[in-house]
Structures are given as structure tokens and as C-alpha cells.
Amino acid sequence: MYTVLIVDDEEPVLESYGFILETGAPGFRLAGKARSGYEAIKLIYELKPDIVFMDINMPGIDGLDTIAEVHEKFSDTVFVLSTAYERFDLAKRAIPLGVFAYLVKPVSKKLFVDTLLGIGTVLEKRKTVKIDTGTDLFLHQFMDERIWKEQNSEHWQQCRERLHLDSDRGLVCFIGLDSDQENHFTRINGVLELKYRFFFTIHLNLGMYFFPGENTREQLALDVPEIIAPAIPEGMLCLAGFGSVCDGPSLYLSCTEALEELNRKKDRTDVRLRERLRVIELRRKMGLSDCEELRTLFNAFWEEVFATYEFGLAKAKMVSLFSLLVDDCTGCYQSHTDELPPFVPAEEIYPLVTLSLWKDWALSAFNRVYLLSRQKRTGKFPVPLVKALSFIDANYTRQIQLPDAAEAASVSAAYLSRLFGEHMNSAFIDYLTVMRVEQAEKLIRENCMNIKDVAFAVGYQDPNYFSKIFRKFVGVSPSMYAERSRYEKK
């Protein structure tokens, strides 16, 4: 029997919920009623209810602040919010507090009972004997050592008894975050434990999860990312790998599979990040930088693409790249114009059926694009823009702004800003930022200085702001990028 506390400042709501609990919700009983946040806090301490239905809008302290006041001490209590209006800002505040559901009034009897039944299922999964210190130590030993090795039946039976497992089967999951802060896993686990029972530890800076029972790999692969998504900070990379469901003595196989799947996803993510960075760099430098430098960058790009993807998809990616490069140097796909593209990449790339044919075509096509870009960017760039680009290239490590570049080019800041938009398809600050991020990427890959020094070296005095900018453009934090770079060199 689970106890329920109802908190609402409207008497009809209290009466309605109370009546349902007393007449139509087997397995649940009414523990009490509260008409304000302060009264709710008092009753939660006194009654220790399993479930609390909490109104948000109440006089004095509101429902969310009430939950925040007691959440840490009563972490096992399940909270359900209700309000007359569907406000996503309130729902977002509720996520870190582990709120189970968010109901919009009026709440029907069916929805109320269905919500209770859903909570009951969760509480049954979470039900376990409170572990003592010895069991806690055993759990760490199990997650850090035993689960990684094949066990005999006797050892596995001991694990079942000590961890109060009601199944002989389970699977392992690894979650990797673009962060080394363990508090992120605290938030993730807070929302995940509302739906599933699991055991958790940190392994190799990854979150390691053991889900006992018959939860399938396919179902967890769908559910877990969706459940934890609200607990992941915006912009943070999160990858998950899942093993197969295995018998207890063979759980080590699930560990290996989960770790291998996560590493495959990391590798694919790294490739995509490098693809994007190289495309950005090629487009920015085409026609401006030394031809040999650009050819080296281009070769590195297509070699990895063809090594990573099947031949047809790799060709499609090269069609995209050359279409962008042709458009950059002609503008023929940006607006109505009489100028025709010098060649149509899709028509020339599609018939190439071998890597050898691709290599021959790519060398010639690259030279064509480079010469066209060179002609446009050096022959058609206004002199002030050329001076400004040279100034940026020589001074990006300093705290420079648009007026500084304009002064070096002997024009007004407004005029230079217009030149950047017309000829570079970019704002001054975006051009400068991309250059700085590219240089930072190179310094990090060289592994010659720490992240703070890299930030200073490319013109940022605030390392935290630099990390934010780097993550925005690259997709991962500088520290994660450095870790991956070190891994690639091994």
C-alpha cells in the first residue's frame, strides 16, 4: 500500500482527489491533505508519503519551491505537479527535482488513476532492501570487478542475494558525456531512476549502468536517450552504448558490447566533426591560402571520407563539398544570374565507379576550383578587404575588433562590415572567431600547451568563454577534443 499526500489550495480539488483515492485506487491510500506549501513541508516530514500530488500555484511558497525544499531529504518520494496552465518553463524547472509527471487541470479520474498506476510500477521496480555499508561495498566490487569477468553459478547466486536481484538476467549500458563533471550524472540518474531500476558507477570517466531484468536492448536504446535528454545541458554531447541481455555469469559480454558500441559512436562522431571543420576551413581558405596547403587539407578530407563510408555515400559527400566550393567562387546558386557554373559536380562525380577514377578527377577538379577562387578573391576583392584580412591574419591573437581592422584598411567600420558581408558571406566577428577556433584546434592537436594557454594564444582572455565558443563551433569542449586527439595518436 502506497501513501499519497494531496497539496492544493482549492478545496474541490482536495475533495475530488481524496474521493478517488478512497474509492477507486486499490493499492493507494490518502495520507493527508495540505492547502499551502508550508503545510505540505510540515506534513511531508511527519507523514513521509510515498507520493505527493502538488499544485504549482499556491499562496506563499509555490509547488516547485516546496519540492525543492524537501527533495534532497526525501529523494525516494515521487512528486507529481498539477496546474491550470501548460507552461514549459515550469516543466523545465521541475526536471532537476525528479518530478514524475506534469498534469494540466482539470485532471480526469482516469488520468489520475493511470498516473498512480504508473508510479506504482516504478516504486515496485525501485523497491529493495535498504543496503548497509557492507552491501554498498559489495556493489562497488560487483560493478568495478565481478561484472567484468565470467562468474560461476555460485558466485552469481551470491551477487543476486547481496544485491536483492529478482532476475538472473540483465544488460550493461555506458553513457559518455562531453564533460568530466560527475554532477551531470547525478541529474541523469535522478530522472532515469523514475522509470528503471539500475546500478551505477563511474568507469573510465563514463557512466556505467547495469539494468537487471528482462529489459531488451532495443527498448532501452529507445527509452534511455529520451528519458535523460532533459537532464543534459544544451550543447553537451551525450552518447550511449548498450550491450545484449545476458545471464548473470555472462554479463561481462554485455560490458564489452556496450563499450564497443559507445566507442563506435564516438569514432563516427569524431569523423563528422572533422568533416565539418575541414569543409569550413577549405571554404574559408580557398583561393587565399597556398595551393599546396589547401591540397593537403583536401586530400586528408576525401581520404577519410572514402575510408569511413561506402563508396556511393562518400561520392555524395564530395558532391556536396564541390557544390559549396563552386558556389563560393561563382555565386551561381545564390541568386538569379546569367553566369553558369564552370561544371556540375553531381554530373561529373556520379559516373566515377572506382577510387582510381575518383583520384584522377579530384586532382583536376580541385585545381579548377582553386584557380577560380584565386581569381575571384585576389582579383576581385576590394583593396580595403584584402588589407583587413591581412590585418586579421597577423593580429588574431590580440583583442582586435572591427574598428581596428577598419583603421588598418583606412575605411570606416560600417563600410568594412559591408565588404565582409558581400565578399566573404560572413560577419567580421564570425570570420575572426572561425580563424581563432581553427588555430586553437591545431594547438590542441599538437598537445603542446594546456587549454588555458591555448585560449590566451588565440586571443581569448577568459578560458571559460573560449570553451563556450569552441564547443559552439566544433561540437565538443576543448578538453574532450584534446582527449580524442591523444587517443587518435596512440
Side-chain angles (χ1 to χ4, degrees), residues 128 131 139 142-143 163-165 197-201 208-212:
T128 183
I131 56 178
L139 171 60
F142 172 76
M143 294 293 286
L163 300 178
H164 310 288
L165 303 177
R197 185 190 181 202
F198 59 86
F199 297 96
F200 171 80
T201 191
M208 179 181 174
Y209 296 79
F210 168 51
F211 292 91

Side-chain angles (χ1 to χ4, degrees), residues 314-439:
K315 288 198 299 181
K317 288 180 174 288
M318 302 316 299
V319 168
S320 298
L321 171 65
F322 273 97
S323 296
L324 290 170
L325 295 177
V326 167
D327 190 48
D328 288 339
C329 65
T330 65
C332 58
Y333 296 119
Q334 297 179 29
S335 61
H336 293 292
T337 176
D338 293 332
E339 183 177 3
L340 295 176
F343 63 96
V344 180
E347 294 178 358
E348 297 196 12
I349 293 176
Y350 179 75
L352 305 175
V353 294
T354 67
L355 192 59
S356 177
L357 289 173
W358 157 258
K359 290 180 181 179
D360 293 340
W361 181 89
L363 176 61
S364 172
F366 175 83
N367 290 337
R368 280 185 282 171
V369 171
Y370 179 81
L371 291 173
L372 284 168
S373 300
R374 188 75 175 173
Q375 180 182 6
K376 177 185 177 181
R377 290 190 162 181
T378 57
K380 295 184 179 180
F381 273 9
V383 173
L385 181 57
V386 174
K387 289 183 178 179
L389 294 176
S390 297
F391 173 80
I392 295 172
D393 190 58
N395 295 278
Y396 70 88
T397 60
R398 301 193 298 110
Q399 296 296 294
I400 59 172
Q401 298 179 343
L402 178 62
D404 301 318
E407 182 179 352
S410 302
V411 294
S412 69
Y415 179 65
L416 181 60
S417 178
R418 193 171 81 224
L419 291 179
F420 265 92
E422 291 176 354
H423 297 275
M424 305 301 295
N425 297 317
S426 171
F428 166 84
I429 188 61
D430 291 334
Y431 181 89
L432 175 62
T433 301
V434 169
M435 174 178 281
R436 284 172 165 169
V437 170
E438 286 177 0
Q439 296 302 318

Side-chain angles (χ1 to χ4, degrees), residues 86-147:
E86 187 169 6
R87 288 176 52 189
F88 291 102
D89 60 323
L90 294 177
K92 190 173 182 179
R93 283 178 58 198
I95 289 168
L97 301 175
V99 172
F100 178 84
Y102 180 80
L103 307 181
V104 179
K105 295 179 181 178
V107 179
S108 67
K109 176 181 178 180
K110 182 178 185 307
L111 179 58
F112 186 84
V113 173
D114 286 347
T115 302
L116 282 175
L117 293 177
I119 295 171
T121 300
V122 170
L123 292 176
E124 285 297 319
K125 286 184 178 181
R126 284 167 40 179
K127 189 186 294 181
T128 183
V129 179
K130 295 294 182 181
I131 56 178
D132 57 22
T133 303
T135 306
D136 196 23
L137 291 174
F138 183 85
L139 171 60
H140 285 294
Q141 183 189 40
F142 172 76
M143 294 293 286
D144 293 338
E145 299 177 19
R146 291 198 176 199
I147 200 171

Side-chain angles (χ1 to χ4, degrees), residues 259-275:
L259 199 55
E260 288 177 348
E261 182 182 50
L262 180 63
N263 286 330
R264 284 196 299 271
K265 288 183 177 180
K266 279 187 174 182
D267 290 341
R268 288 197 296 269
T269 302
D270 291 344
V271 169
R272 293 190 183 107
L273 288 174
R274 286 195 296 273
E275 281 180 35

